[in-house]
Amino acid sequence: MKGIFIALEGPDGSGKSTMIKGLEEYFKNKGMDIVVTREPGGTPIGEAIRRILLDNRNKNMLAETEALLYAASRGQHVMEKILPAIKAGKMVLCDRFILSSLAYQGVGRGLGIEEVRMINDFAIKGIRPDLTLFYHVDPETTLHRKTRKRGGDRLEKEGADFHRKVYHGYLEILEKYSNNVKVIDATKSKKEVLNQSIYCIEEFLKGRKKNETYNCHSPGSGRTKFN
Ligand code: TYD
C-alpha cells in the first residue's frame, strides 16, 4: 500500500487522543502497519522541545519563541519520522500538526496565521497531511470537560478566552484551508466519533484507490456546521 499521513486536530479536550488509540487498534486489526505519533514531540529532539513548551515554569516564554519551538519540533518530526514511515508504506496517525500552530500561535497568541504558516513551511518544506480529521467541539463543552480534570500543562492552563480564540481560529483556518480536511462532530458518543473517523479514513482510501474525489458524509451523521 502507498503510505498515508493522517493528522488529528481539534481544541484541547476534543478527544483526539482517545480516537487515535481506537483508530490504531481498528486499522492494525485490518493488517495495516500503523505509526502513532504526536506533536509537539514524536522524536527524541521533539520530545525535549515538548518538555520546554509545556513546562509550567516557563511562564515568560514569548509567543514568537513558542511558535518557533513548535515549528522546530515539527520539522524534525517530518524529516526524521513521518516521511520515512510514509515512504515505507505505513499509515501515520499524528496527534496535531500544522493547523494547531495556525490556531494556537497564529490566532490564540495573535501572531498571525500567515506569519505562522511561513515559519512552518520553512521547517517542513510545505509537507501536508493527506487527510486531516478535525474534531469539532465548542469551547463551552471543552472548558466544562477541562474543569473536571485537575492540573494541566502550560497551554492547557491558559484561560477560557485563549481557548475560545483558538476555537474561532480553527474555524477561520478551516474556511481557508479546507483541502483534505474532514470535520467530525466530537460532541457525539465515543463510539459514534470513532465510527465517523473510521468512515472518513476508509472513504479516503477507497477514493484514492479509484483515484477519484470522495465524499465523507457518514450515513446520518452529516457534516458539522460551523457557527
Ligand atoms: P497535548 O498534551 O498533546 O495536548 P492535547 O492532548 O490536547 O493534544 O499538548 C499539546 C499542547 O500544545 C496543546 O495545548 C496544544 C498546544 N499546541 C500548540 O499550541 N501549537 C502546536 O503547534 C501544537 C502541535 C500544539
Side-chain angles (χ1 to χ4, degrees), residues 68-88:
L68 289 164
L69 286 175
Y70 277 111
S73 163
R74 184 163 299 128
Q76 191 68 32
H77 194 201
V78 167
M79 303 308 159
E80 187 180 328
K81 189 166 180 183
I82 296 176
L83 287 183
I86 298 169
K87 279 193 190 127

Side-chain angles (χ1 to χ4, degrees), residues 21 29-30 45 102 120 141 164 173 194-195 203:
K21 286 194 198 109
N29 283 339
K30 292 211 136 192
I45 293 171
L102 303 185
N120 273 274
T141 308
R164 280 194 195 98
I173 290 154
L194 182 61
N195 284 341
E203 286 299 293

Side-chain angles (χ1 to χ4, degrees), residues 12 16 39 50 70 74 96 100-101 104-105 153 155:
D12 282 82
K16 294 172 285 83
E39 292 208 344
R50 177 186 178 92
Y70 277 111
R74 184 163 299 128
R96 298 192 177 280
S100 287
S101 283
Y104 283 78
Q105 284 66 54
D153 60 47
L155 272 287

Side-chain angles (χ1 to χ4, degrees), residues 8-17 38-41 50 53-54 66-67 70-71 74 95-105 109 116 120 149 153-157 162-163 166 170:
L8 284 79
E9 289 278 1
D12 282 82
S14 56
K16 294 172 285 83
S17 311
R38 66 170 180 187
E39 292 208 344
R50 177 186 178 92
L53 276 166
L54 303 185
E66 186 179 286
Y70 277 111
R74 184 163 299 128
D95 195 339
R96 298 192 177 280
F97 198 66
I98 187 171
L99 295 192
S100 287
S101 283
L102 303 185
Y104 283 78
Q105 284 66 54
R109 299 292 192 212
V116 174
N120 273 274
K149 192 179 134 194
D153 60 47
R154 197 175 60 85
L155 272 287
E156 281 171 341
K157 279 205 166 130
F162 175 76
H163 288 285
V166 169
Y170 264 125

